[in-house]
Amino acid sequence: MVLAYLRRIGSLHTNPVYRFAHEYSVGRRNYSARGSTLEQAVAAFRSVVGEDGVSLGTAVRDQHGRDESMHRCCPPDVVVWPCSVEEVSALAKICYQHQLPIIPFGTGTGLEGGVGAVKGGVCFNLGKMDCILDLHQEDFDVTVEPGVTRKALNASLRDTGLWFPVDPGADASLCGMVATSASGTNAVRYGTMRENVLNLEVVLADGTVIHTAGRGRRPRKTSAGYNLTNLFVGSEGTLGLLTKATLRLSGIPEAVVSAVCSFPSVQAAVDSTVQLLQAGVPIARIEFLDDVMMDACRCYSSLPYVVAPTLFLEFHGSKSSLEEQVTVAEDITRGNAGSDFSWARDAETRERLWKARHDAWYAALALRPGCKAYSTDVCVPISNLPQVVVETKRDLMQNHLTGPIAGHVGDGNFHCLMVLDPNDADEVQRVHQFTERLARRALALDGTCTGEHGIGLGKKALLCEEVGPQTIKVMHSLKAAMDPANLMNPGKVLLHIKIIQVYHLKSSLPSHLGKKNLNQSDMKPNKTVNVGVFSGTDLISCVGWN
Amino acid sequence: MAARVLVGVKRVIDYAVKVRVKPDNTGVVTDGVKHSMNPFCEIAVEEAVKLKEKQLVKEVVAVSCGPQQVQETIRTALAMGADRGIHVEVSGKDYDALGPLQVSKIMAALAKKEEANLIILGKQAIDDDCNQTGQMTAALLDWPQGTFASEVVLEGDKLKVVREVDGGLETVKLDMPAVVTADLRLNTPRYATLPNIMKAKKKKISVVKPGDLGVDVASRLEVLRVEEPPQRKAGVKVETVEDLVSKLKEGGRI
């Protein structure tokens, strides 16, 4: 019945994506494993990691089913704590035998629901593997295990003159940062995770252990074979478990100078940024706070901030080069009607200057006490940033939403810190629709729907729109090649086809074939799972919360 | 104006390491374990370097007592801005038994030899938590002391020290020369940057023996046994308040 219907849509049988989706989704076992499969697996887990390394406790599972996003908690069926790559491999083999989903867990500080066990399964908490291995000071590289967080690494490196500069907001696991291709406030100078990972040790779904650049290898550059290292960067646990990462370190800056400047408009602030970069100033951080955010900061810390679009700048270098950098920056900002340019050298004054930027999250929350905050994340070419920001601010006002803006303007990346009442279903819906519009606005301006946070649970359909059907097909092929049973973190990054759900949509689907977008209202009310349907070479994208 | 500052730096097991007791219970495992400068000593070095940057002192000398490896710790102090180092060579059994009394005798002897006007030490070391060296050094030299300092201001030839005490903050004014021990909130130590680490390699570290300073490092203390704290036992869950009360009574708690 289902197949006959699908034949009407098009020549799907010859479509390789449909074929693989059909194979695993129709022949698939029930993932929310209960009963004997899980019992057998748990007994096997205990023989690998001992009694203490396995937990079925409800509270423990709940803790591992949520991160710092607003997605609801999806607890796994069991949590395990391996202590070595050999144990990870053994546990993965057991999961593979029993066809149990595998969900890697670092610090649980993700922002896109990446650890939600939407199909149940086994959560691998890799926190016990917390060694810093193989520091090579002259080569500026170090290898870390998944339990090492970025602050722990930098504290350990403090005597060496080296640091790892990628600094997302949370004190995240470095391997977790690799998995989500994280970035921080100084990406403009030091790059994101993509530019700073030399090698990875990965355990695949069937327990095979590979080293993406070869065991122990850490040349600063290579042309050897396919770039598997960067395949896994940003794969969000859907291709394998990262058990070691070899990272590129940088020298701790000799001296730091911070500066702040206000502008009459977003355009002026962004123009200054562009000119600074064009002038070749090796600026380390260039952060943007809009007027709504500056007002929130003013109220929060009772400091006399100018309520206007503001740039927060930080320069790294030798004492003499800093003088030059600051002079150039001051000239440029003045040329763009910037005012109140102040700068500082010593740590205490720099802290005070940047206080607004550091308190941004809390200042936003303080706008509406009792509410929660959710951070959007889009990135566009810098030249398109003013347009995106201006249109977004208009959207926020028209829809009566609280969304002060903070951004890494040097990368064209900005976040709206949406402050909302999670119990107000209408507001949640409006925020959800706003973030969809924001993502589409960024896509329309040559950008991406996620600059730093990843695709996770909520942006799978947007990924399809962003890269297009042919590229998505390639991503699906890679996923199928590396993890044909879809055990690795199912439900993240890639939309998967559920033939059974398509059947339920049968009555409404044909009239929508011509449309490019299906909205949540088009789906049956009891369906809460994302559905993507391929029609020939066209992709109909679907939207919905998971 | 204070000319020369002596800063004591101790090489200890890094604060992030999980310390393990040796199987024979004679001490803790130190072989192959990451060591670094005692965090309070870092704060002491930072304060001394800040004084030099404000041009209130002429020279900062970093001192450490121990085997060859302590030179790494002295190099870190040099990378933070100290001008030169003094390595007081103590090794083997003498090093294992080295404690505040011997170190303070050494510091006192060095202070006289180097004609120092100010000694800044960390308030305590994170391995033994003694909190004695600064106080003993001041007593041996008959110098005033400002311990648990959260703020140090040099006013001419007097030192104003704000001390963190149980009841709050106490401000004392000391005549120089004096001893100060650094508490946590005195400052935030700088990171050693690569260029400064390279420069530090060229700075001088002179080596002396305790005997050269007329100090006997024999210890009056003997460590009998080192043990881990008892493992935390699991609690007991009870179903009702009555159960709870009866269990408490059984245990003699009420």
Side-chain angles (χ1 to χ4, degrees):
Chain A
M1 181 75 185
V2 172
L3 290 177
Y5 166 70
L6 284 170
R7 246 175 247 133
R8 280 168 51 201
I9 296 181
S11 51
L12 280 177
H13 298 284
T14 54
N15 179 319
V17 179
Y18 159 75
R19 225 181 313 123
F20 95 77
H22 171 80
E23 275 156 24
Y24 77 72
S25 65
V26 168
R28 188 186 59 210
R29 281 189 219 153
N30 182 3
Y31 274 163
S32 310
R34 282 179 193 97
S36 59
T37 313
L38 188 61
E39 264 178 46
Q40 282 169 16
V42 170
F45 294 153
R46 287 208 171 100
S47 70
V48 174
V49 288
E51 288 290 329
D52 290 339
V54 182
S55 177
L56 293 155
T58 317
V60 172
R61 287 162 45 218
D62 277 348
Q63 279 176 347
H64 288 81
R66 59 161 63 90
D67 58 14
E68 292 185 6
S69 69
M70 289 194 60
H71 290 281
R72 64 180 169 81
C73 174
C74 290
D77 296 306
V78 54
V79 182
V80 293
W81 283 265
C83 293
S84 67
V85 63
E86 291 78 23
E87 287 185 5
V88 175
S89 172
L91 295 170
K93 282 197 180 89
I94 299 166
C95 292
Y96 187 71
Q97 270 164 2
H98 295 88
Q99 294 283 285
L100 293 168
I102 297 172
I103 297 105
F105 187 97
T107 45
T109 47
L111 293 167
E112 291 291 339
V115 295
V118 294
K119 300 205 189 339
V122 184
C123 176
F124 281 54
N125 184 324
L126 301 170
K128 280 197 175 163
M129 298 168 63
D130 61 357
C131 294
I132 298 172
L133 313 155
D134 306 332
L135 166 66
H136 298 103
Q137 284 188 38
E138 291 107 14
D139 300 318
F140 285 40
D141 66 64
V142 67
T143 302
V144 296
E145 290 186 332
V148 180
T149 65
R150 64 172 181 90
K151 287 188 186 170
L153 176 63
N154 282 333
S156 157
L157 291 173
R158 68 192 187 281
D159 292 338
T160 60
L162 299 170
W163 71 316
F164 186 68
V166 183
D167 65 340
D171 185 18
S173 145
L174 287 157
C175 289
M177 286 163 62
V178 175
T180 53
S181 188
S183 125
T185 52
N186 45 31
V188 64
R189 170 143 165 189
Y190 296 99
T192 68
M193 292 308 286
R194 282 190 183 186
E195 290 82 43
N196 289 295
V197 181
L198 296 172
N199 197 350
L200 292 170
E201 178 184 80
V202 187
V203 177
L204 303 175
D206 63 356
T208 316
V209 181
I210 65 165
H211 295 88
T212 54
R215 183 188 284 274
R217 300 201 188 288
R218 47 190 184 83
R220 286 181 74 84
K221 59 185 197 185
T222 174
S223 311
Y226 297 149
N227 189 348
L228 290 186
T229 306
N230 275 58
L231 172 64
F232 285 96
V233 176
S235 58
E236 301 185 45
T238 58
L239 298 178
L241 295 123
L242 306 180
T243 52
K244 276 194 194 74
T246 305
L247 303 168
R248 188 195 303 275
L249 301 171
S250 301
I252 292 176
E254 219 187 303
V256 179
V257 166
S258 303
V260 181
C261 190
S262 310
F263 293 87
S265 65
V266 178
Q267 184 75 51
V270 177
D271 284 345
S272 302
T273 309
V274 173
Q275 286 160 23
L276 266 168
L277 294 171
Q278 285 174 336
V281 175
I283 192 152
R285 289 188 165 103
I286 179 157
E287 297 285 289
F288 169 78
L289 262 53
D290 76 342
D291 52 330
V292 176
M293 181 62 90
M294 290 307 291
D295 196 28
C297 295
R298 193 180 52 86
C299 297
Y300 178 74
S301 47
S302 312
L303 285 172
Y305 290 123
V306 175
V307 178
T310 308
L311 279 186
F312 292 80
L313 311 163
E314 192 173 287
F315 307 90
H316 293 175
S318 67
K319 289 207 173 71
S320 44
S321 71
L322 285 180
E323 298 270 2
E324 209 189 300
Q325 288 183 41
V326 174
T327 315
V328 172
E330 197 168 5
D331 282 340
I332 289 175
T333 54
R334 202 182 306 123
N336 287 292
S339 55
D340 307 292
F341 186 96
S342 29
W343 61 278
R345 218 190 268 279
D346 62 286
E348 285 86 16
T349 326
R350 282 193 283 115
E351 278 289 322
R352 242 184 314 119
L353 273 185
W354 266 63
K355 190 166 162 42
R357 172 65 187 86
H358 288 137
D359 290 344
W361 182 261
Y362 304 104
L365 275 173
L367 282 174
R368 292 177 60 192
C371 288
K372 288 214 144 79
Y374 160 70
S375 169
T376 68
D377 172 38
V378 296
C379 187
V380 295
I382 307 173
S383 54
N384 290 334
L385 191 62
Q387 185 182 347
V388 164
V389 172
V390 165
E391 285 176 17
T392 305
K393 284 164 78 71
R394 195 181 307 139
D395 191 342
L396 285 166
M397 285 209 316
Q398 279 170 353
N399 291 286
H400 311 291
L401 293 167
T402 319
I405 293 177
H408 317 303
V409 77
D411 310 314
N413 178 212
F414 72 97
H415 307 287
C416 298
L417 305 187
M418 310 301 300
V419 188
L420 70 155
D421 178 0
N423 298 318
D424 179 349
D426 176 63
E427 189 173 18
V428 170
Q429 180 72 339
R430 282 186 297 124
V431 168
H432 172 47
Q433 285 164 345
F434 164 80
T435 52
E436 296 286 325
R437 287 194 298 274
L438 173 59
R440 295 216 163 86
R441 200 173 295 129
L443 292 178
L445 288 169
D446 302 342
T448 170
C449 64
T450 172
E452 316 182 295
H453 298 171
I455 296 291
L457 273 176
K459 294 188 175 178
K460 294 181 285 190
L462 290 166
L463 177 65
C464 299
E465 287 181 43
E466 180 170 328
V467 300
Q470 302 299 352
T471 311
I472 274 284
K473 276 185 207 168
V474 174
M475 291 194 187
H476 274 278
S477 310
L478 284 166
K479 168 74 171 172
M482 312 226 30
D483 179 24
N486 192 21
L487 297 178
M488 291 305 311
N489 210 2
K492 316 291 162 29
V493 184
L494 296 175
L495 273 179
H496 286 288
I497 299 169
K498 279 189 134 182
I499 306 299
I500 298 142
Q501 259 62 17
V502 170
Y503 174 68
H504 281 286
L505 281 175
K506 187 175 91 128
S507 52
S508 52
L509 196 55
S511 61
H512 291 281
L513 268 182
K515 265 201 213 176
K516 281 296 172 184
N517 291 311
L518 281 168
N519 294 314
Q520 196 169 19
S521 52
D522 295 330
M523 294 168 63
K524 291 278 182 253
N526 62 343
K527 289 290 164 287
T528 54
V529 179
N530 279 351
V531 173
V533 177
F534 291 91
S535 162
T537 54
D538 249 49
L539 173 64
I540 301 170
S541 79
C542 253
V543 164
W545 283 123
N546 238 2
Chain B
M1 187 189 71
R4 189 170 288 127
V5 184
L6 277 190
V7 183
V9 295
K10 187 177 181 185
R11 180 174 182 267
V12 297
I13 295 178
D14 188 86
Y15 71 80
V17 168
K18 292 189 193 79
V19 177
R20 264 178 261 279
V21 175
K22 279 199 243 187
D24 61 4
N25 293 104
T26 55
V28 296
V29 177
T30 51
D31 282 342
V33 171
K34 181 167 199 269
H35 284 65
S36 53
M37 191 191 293
N38 180 38
F40 294 105
C41 299
E42 288 180 353
I43 297 174
V45 173
E46 175 66 25
E47 197 61 22
V49 172
K50 273 199 162 83
L51 286 173
K52 198 181 95 163
E53 284 171 348
K54 289 186 198 144
Q55 296 180 330
L56 295 169
V57 303
K58 271 224 217 85
E59 197 187 30
V60 176
V61 184
V63 179
S64 193
C65 308
Q68 180 64 24
Q69 292 96 310
V70 306
Q71 290 208 5
E72 289 164 20
T73 314
I74 299 176
R75 290 269 169 230
T76 306
L78 296 173
M80 285 173 72
D83 296 294
R84 59 183 170 91
I86 299 176
H87 169 201
V88 181
E89 216 169 23
V90 180
S91 43
K93 284 259 159 23
D94 283 339
Y95 179 59
D96 293 336
L98 195 67
L101 183 57
Q102 300 98 309
V103 174
S104 52
K105 286 180 185 171
I106 291 170
M107 291 300 297
L110 278 172
K112 290 196 187 116
K113 180 163 177 267
E114 300 287 333
E115 291 170 352
N117 311 78
L118 181 58
I119 299 179
I120 310 183
L121 305 172
K123 71 169 179 181
Q124 67 196 57
I126 60 171
D127 51 5
D128 55 25
D129 281 335
C130 284
N131 196 327
Q132 296 164 7
T133 309
Q135 293 86 335
M136 284 179 175
T137 310
L140 288 167
L141 288 166
D142 198 25
W143 286 6
Q145 56 184 264
T147 54
F148 306 99
S150 65
E151 198 185 325
V152 171
V153 182
L154 197 47
E155 291 166 349
D157 61 347
K158 299 236 190 288
L159 204 59
K160 190 183 90 174
V161 178
V162 179
R163 308 179 56 227
E164 290 195 8
V165 297
D166 286 345
L169 297 173
E170 180 190 56
T171 309
V172 294
K173 207 173 229 178
L174 314 174
D175 288 331
M176 300 280 276
V179 175
V180 170
T181 71
D183 207 328
L184 193 63
R185 279 158 281 272
L186 180 57
N187 59 49
T188 309
R190 66 196 63 192
Y191 287 116
T193 63
L194 277 175
N196 288 337
I197 291 174
M198 304 314 291
K199 281 189 214 148
K201 290 193 177 146
K202 301 201 185 92
K203 293 182 183 174
K204 196 171 177 308
I205 299 180
S206 48
V207 184
V208 295
K209 289 199 170 41
D212 303 338
L213 302 167
V215 174
D216 172 19
V217 289
S219 176
R220 291 172 176 77
L221 300 173
E222 185 194 335
V223 173
L224 297 177
R225 193 177 166 78
V226 176
E227 274 176 14
E228 276 189 24
Q231 288 278 5
R232 197 182 162 192
K233 288 206 264 300
V236 174
K237 275 194 192 156
V238 293
E239 295 297 308
T240 68
V241 176
E242 287 77 20
D243 280 350
L244 174 63
V245 172
S246 67
K247 279 230 155 31
L248 287 170
K249 282 193 176 149
E250 275 170 43
R253 304 285 180 179
I254 52 171

